[in-house]
Amino acid sequence: MSRSRGSVAGGIALAAAALLAAAVPTSVSAAPAPVPSAALPASSADTYYASAEGKTGTALKAALNDIISEQTRLSYSQVWDALGDTDEDPYDPDNVILLYSGRSQSKSEHGGNLGDWNREHVWAKSHGDFGTRTGPGTDLHHLRPTDVRVNSIRGNKDFDNGGSAVSGAPGNYTDGDSFEPRDAVKGDVARMILYMAVRYEGEDGFADLEPNDRVGNGSAPYHGRIGVLKQWHREDPPDSFERNRNEVIYNEYQRNRNPFIDRPEWVEAIW
């Protein structure tokens, strides 16, 4: 006996659904998607930076200082856990990404032993002699997890191009008075240094931090070299990891932002 047109259509639909179910597993294990850019939405950025809009030079620098100086401060011991959030490996939430080596390492493997990661002051803490005091010594915008040995090699050197390759940290170079980070974080380093120069203007009982165009600054409150840092800033613009880091610091810890991640053009507007 023949079936009606409706029953035939229904049978075809059921068969198609069964084939589709067989072809597409209910659970698919896929590689994680890249971390999305977490830049501050334009409307919020307009609000946060409203008083700086339209300014250049020293006026812009002063306006940004007023804005980003409104922040929550951490203790140095709190920095350990905070870096676990700010520098979390987007593909492994149990790990952090180390700044200079790029290695993904367990969040728990921190301390002072070889193979551990520790808290690197990108603006060397001896440049202005602020140490690890609450303020510039604990500001997450320039504190990053780094391999203990590589951190020691960098020491308090200024940033510049050239030198000999750093063993265990491909793409990094150093000589007697300078350090060159790998290409993927050159812009990050530049923007951290310039953030510090805007945030710490001789207020709060700390030194007035400024970039200059030399190396060998020692304990003076200067960090070089500004010409090289500006070049790195241009060649390595903010990426999704850096933008997400800025967002985590703002939302979960300090309630302030690095303006040169949000508005890269402001580097040239000031320097």
Side-chain angles (χ1 to χ4, degrees):
M1 182 175 64
S2 63
R3 292 178 291 178
S4 68
R5 181 179 298 175
S7 63
V8 171
I12 292 172
L14 288 172
L19 287 172
L20 183 60
V24 181
T26 55
S27 175
V28 178
S29 177
V35 178
S37 173
L40 193 66
S43 59
S44 299
D46 289 344
T47 301
Y48 186 73
Y49 295 117
S51 61
E53 298 294 350
K55 295 181 172 65
T56 60
T58 57
L60 174 58
K61 189 167 183 273
L64 291 176
N65 171 261
D66 287 342
I67 294 167
I68 67 178
S69 294
E70 294 294 325
Q71 72 180 92
T72 300
R73 299 185 181 188
L74 281 69
S75 69
Y76 198 45
S77 62
Q78 289 175 312
V79 169
W80 289 121
D81 288 339
L83 290 180
D85 291 333
T86 60
D87 291 72
E88 181 177 287
D89 183 341
Y91 301 109
D92 187 345
D94 294 326
N95 286 12
V96 292
I97 300 294
L98 307 191
L99 176 64
Y100 299 131
S101 64
R103 186 172 76 242
S104 177
Q105 184 160 338
S106 172
K107 292 178 181 180
S108 64
E109 294 176 356
H110 62 71
N113 298 319
L114 286 178
D116 286 345
W117 62 268
N118 60 6
R119 298 160 291 188
E120 156 78 325
H121 291 80
V122 176
W123 183 291
K125 59 183 180 290
S126 65
H127 291 222
D129 196 29
F130 52 77
T132 60
R133 288 176 291 168
T134 297
T138 64
D139 195 315
L140 293 174
H141 282 295
H142 84 118
L143 284 163
R144 301 292 292 267
T146 57
D147 177 85
V148 164
R149 178 178 169 275
V150 178
N151 191 357
S152 178
I153 291 171
R154 188 264 159 143
N156 71 343
K157 296 172 183 175
D158 292 276
F159 293 105
D160 197 2
N161 291 312
S164 301
V166 176
S167 175
N172 295 262
Y173 301 89
T174 192
D175 56 24
D177 55 18
S178 71
F179 190 89
E180 177 185 350
R182 60 192 176 102
D183 290 347
V185 297
K186 278 184 165 71
D188 306 49
V189 166
R191 287 179 284 275
M192 286 186 278
I193 293 294
L194 299 180
Y195 161 87
M196 293 292 283
V198 170
R199 169 61 185 88
Y200 298 98
E201 292 277 61
E203 305 157 344
D204 307 327
F206 297 107
D208 180 2
L209 305 182
E210 294 294 340
N212 64 8
D213 211 26
R214 55 171 293 182
V215 295
N217 280 299
S219 61
Y222 307 116
H223 227 301
R225 296 179 50 209
I226 183 61
V228 172
L229 294 171
K230 288 173 64 178
Q231 174 192 350
W232 292 353
H233 168 69
R234 291 190 298 269
E235 294 177 351
D236 175 37
D239 59 17
S240 59
F241 187 90
E242 189 180 2
R243 291 186 184 278
N244 183 69
R245 190 174 194 278
N246 198 27
E247 197 70 27
V248 172
I249 294 172
Y250 176 71
N251 285 321
E252 300 182 23
Y253 291 99
Q254 295 187 179
R255 303 298 300 169
N256 75 336
R257 305 182 67 84
N258 183 332
F260 305 115
I261 297 173
D262 294 322
R263 301 288 182 84
E265 68 274 13
W266 277 344
V267 170
E268 291 292 342
I270 295 175
W271 288 282

Short mmCIF file of all heavy atoms in Angstrom, two decimals, residues 66-90:
data_model
loop_
_atom_site.label_atom_id
_atom_site.label_comp_id
_atom_site.label_asym_id
_atom_site.label_seq_id
_atom_site.Cartn_x
_atom_site.Cartn_y
_atom_site.Cartn_z
N ASP A 66 46.00 63.26 36.12
CA ASP A 66 44.84 63.45 37.00
C ASP A 66 43.88 62.27 36.91
O ASP A 66 43.33 61.83 37.92
CB ASP A 66 44.10 64.74 36.62
CG ASP A 66 44.86 66.00 37.02
OD1 ASP A 66 45.76 65.90 37.88
OD2 ASP A 66 44.55 67.07 36.48
N ILE A 67 43.70 61.75 35.70
CA ILE A 67 42.75 60.66 35.50
C ILE A 67 43.26 59.36 36.10
O ILE A 67 42.57 58.70 36.89
CB ILE A 67 42.46 60.48 33.99
CG1 ILE A 67 41.73 61.69 33.43
CG2 ILE A 67 41.64 59.20 33.75
CD1 ILE A 67 41.69 61.72 31.91
N ILE A 68 44.47 58.96 35.73
CA ILE A 68 44.94 57.62 36.11
C ILE A 68 45.48 57.56 37.54
O ILE A 68 45.72 56.46 38.06
CB ILE A 68 45.99 57.08 35.11
CG1 ILE A 68 47.28 57.90 35.15
CG2 ILE A 68 45.40 57.05 33.71
CD1 ILE A 68 48.37 57.36 34.22
N SER A 69 45.66 58.73 38.18
CA SER A 69 46.10 58.72 39.58
C SER A 69 45.00 58.28 40.53
O SER A 69 45.26 57.97 41.70
CB SER A 69 46.62 60.10 39.98
OG SER A 69 47.81 60.41 39.27
N GLU A 70 43.77 58.27 40.06
CA GLU A 70 42.66 57.76 40.86
C GLU A 70 42.68 56.24 40.76
O GLU A 70 42.21 55.66 39.78
CB GLU A 70 41.33 58.32 40.33
CG GLU A 70 41.19 59.82 40.50
CD GLU A 70 41.12 60.24 41.96
OE1 GLU A 70 40.54 59.48 42.76
OE2 GLU A 70 41.66 61.30 42.30
N GLN A 71 43.26 55.58 41.75
CA GLN A 71 43.42 54.13 41.66
C GLN A 71 43.40 53.49 43.05
O GLN A 71 43.64 54.14 44.06
CB GLN A 71 44.73 53.77 40.97
CG GLN A 71 45.98 54.05 41.81
CD GLN A 71 47.26 53.69 41.10
OE1 GLN A 71 47.85 54.52 40.43
NE2 GLN A 71 47.71 52.44 41.26
N THR A 72 43.09 52.21 43.05
CA THR A 72 43.21 51.39 44.25
C THR A 72 44.62 50.83 44.29
O THR A 72 45.14 50.37 43.27
CB THR A 72 42.19 50.23 44.22
OG1 THR A 72 40.88 50.79 44.15
CG2 THR A 72 42.31 49.36 45.44
N ARG A 73 45.24 50.85 45.45
CA ARG A 73 46.62 50.38 45.56
C ARG A 73 46.69 49.01 46.20
O ARG A 73 45.93 48.69 47.11
CB ARG A 73 47.46 51.37 46.38
CG ARG A 73 47.53 52.76 45.75
CD ARG A 73 48.46 53.65 46.54
NE ARG A 73 48.54 54.99 45.98
CZ ARG A 73 49.39 55.92 46.39
NH1 ARG A 73 50.23 55.64 47.37
NH2 ARG A 73 49.41 57.10 45.82
N LEU A 74 47.63 48.19 45.71
CA LEU A 74 47.83 46.85 46.23
C LEU A 74 49.08 46.80 47.11
O LEU A 74 49.99 47.63 46.95
CB LEU A 74 48.00 45.85 45.09
CG LEU A 74 46.75 45.35 44.36
CD1 LEU A 74 46.12 46.47 43.54
CD2 LEU A 74 47.10 44.18 43.45
N SER A 75 49.13 45.82 47.97
CA SER A 75 50.37 45.52 48.69
C SER A 75 51.24 44.65 47.79
O SER A 75 50.76 44.05 46.82
CB SER A 75 50.08 44.78 49.99
OG SER A 75 49.61 43.46 49.73
N TYR A 76 52.53 44.56 48.11
CA TYR A 76 53.41 43.76 47.26
C TYR A 76 53.05 42.28 47.32
O TYR A 76 53.19 41.57 46.31
CB TYR A 76 54.86 43.98 47.69
CG TYR A 76 55.88 43.56 46.65
CD1 TYR A 76 55.72 43.90 45.31
CD2 TYR A 76 57.01 42.84 47.01
CE1 TYR A 76 56.65 43.53 44.36
CE2 TYR A 76 57.96 42.46 46.06
CZ TYR A 76 57.77 42.81 44.74
OH TYR A 76 58.70 42.42 43.79
N SER A 77 52.58 41.80 48.45
CA SER A 77 52.18 40.39 48.54
C SER A 77 50.94 40.11 47.70
O SER A 77 50.78 39.00 47.17
CB SER A 77 51.94 39.99 50.00
OG SER A 77 50.88 40.75 50.57
N GLN A 78 50.05 41.09 47.55
CA GLN A 78 48.86 40.89 46.74
C GLN A 78 49.18 40.77 45.25
O GLN A 78 48.37 40.26 44.47
CB GLN A 78 47.88 42.05 46.95
CG GLN A 78 47.20 42.06 48.31
CD GLN A 78 46.34 43.29 48.52
OE1 GLN A 78 46.76 44.42 48.26
NE2 GLN A 78 45.11 43.08 48.96
N VAL A 79 50.36 41.24 44.87
CA VAL A 79 50.73 41.22 43.45
C VAL A 79 50.83 39.80 42.90
O VAL A 79 50.50 39.56 41.74
CB VAL A 79 52.06 41.98 43.25
CG1 VAL A 79 52.63 41.75 41.85
CG2 VAL A 79 51.86 43.47 43.49
N TRP A 80 51.25 38.84 43.74
CA TRP A 80 51.37 37.45 43.27
C TRP A 80 50.06 36.98 42.64
O TRP A 80 50.03 36.53 41.49
CB TRP A 80 51.74 36.51 44.40
CG TRP A 80 53.12 36.59 44.94
CD1 TRP A 80 53.49 36.88 46.23
CD2 TRP A 80 54.36 36.35 44.24
NE1 TRP A 80 54.85 36.84 46.36
CE2 TRP A 80 55.41 36.52 45.17
CE3 TRP A 80 54.66 36.02 42.91
CZ2 TRP A 80 56.75 36.36 44.81
CZ3 TRP A 80 55.99 35.85 42.56
CH2 TRP A 80 57.02 36.03 43.49
N ASP A 81 48.97 37.06 43.41
CA ASP A 81 47.69 36.57 42.91
C ASP A 81 47.17 37.43 41.76
O ASP A 81 46.56 36.91 40.81
CB ASP A 81 46.65 36.55 44.04
CG ASP A 81 46.90 35.44 45.05
OD1 ASP A 81 47.60 34.46 44.69
OD2 ASP A 81 46.41 35.54 46.18
N ALA A 82 47.40 38.73 41.84
CA ALA A 82 46.93 39.62 40.78
C ALA A 82 47.57 39.27 39.44
O ALA A 82 46.90 39.23 38.41
CB ALA A 82 47.21 41.07 41.15
N LEU A 83 48.88 38.99 39.44
CA LEU A 83 49.55 38.63 38.19
C LEU A 83 49.03 37.32 37.62
O LEU A 83 49.05 37.11 36.41
CB LEU A 83 51.07 38.55 38.40
CG LEU A 83 51.80 39.87 38.66
CD1 LEU A 83 53.30 39.63 38.85
CD2 LEU A 83 51.56 40.86 37.54
N GLY A 84 48.55 36.45 38.50
CA GLY A 84 47.93 35.22 38.02
C GLY A 84 46.69 35.49 37.20
O GLY A 84 46.32 34.69 36.32
N ASP A 85 46.02 36.60 37.46
CA ASP A 85 44.84 36.99 36.68
C ASP A 85 45.21 37.84 35.48
O ASP A 85 44.72 37.62 34.38
CB ASP A 85 43.86 37.77 37.57
CG ASP A 85 43.21 36.89 38.63
OD1 ASP A 85 43.09 35.67 38.41
OD2 ASP A 85 42.83 37.44 39.68
N THR A 86 46.08 38.83 35.68
CA THR A 86 46.38 39.76 34.59
C THR A 86 47.15 39.10 33.46
O THR A 86 46.99 39.48 32.30
CB THR A 86 47.19 40.96 35.10
OG1 THR A 86 48.44 40.49 35.66
CG2 THR A 86 46.43 41.74 36.17
N ASP A 87 48.00 38.12 33.78
CA ASP A 87 48.86 37.50 32.77
C ASP A 87 48.52 36.03 32.54
O ASP A 87 49.36 35.25 32.09
CB ASP A 87 50.32 37.66 33.18
CG ASP A 87 50.79 39.10 33.10
OD1 ASP A 87 50.37 39.92 33.95
OD2 ASP A 87 51.55 39.42 32.17
N GLU A 88 47.29 35.68 32.82
CA GLU A 88 46.84 34.29 32.65
C GLU A 88 46.97 33.84 31.19
O GLU A 88 46.63 34.57 30.26
CB GLU A 88 45.39 34.17 33.10
CG GLU A 88 44.82 32.77 33.01
CD GLU A 88 43.40 32.71 33.55
OE1 GLU A 88 43.25 32.77 34.79
OE2 GLU A 88 42.46 32.60 32.73
N ASP A 89 47.47 32.62 31.03
CA ASP A 89 47.55 32.02 29.70
C ASP A 89 46.13 31.80 29.17
O ASP A 89 45.35 31.08 29.78
CB ASP A 89 48.30 30.68 29.81
CG ASP A 89 48.52 30.01 28.46
OD1 ASP A 89 47.82 30.35 27.48
OD2 ASP A 89 49.38 29.11 28.40
N PRO A 90 45.76 32.41 28.04
CA PRO A 90 44.39 32.27 27.55
C PRO A 90 44.03 30.84 27.16
O PRO A 90 42.85 30.51 27.03
CB PRO A 90 44.35 33.19 26.34
CG PRO A 90 45.77 33.35 25.93
CD PRO A 90 46.57 33.29 27.18
#
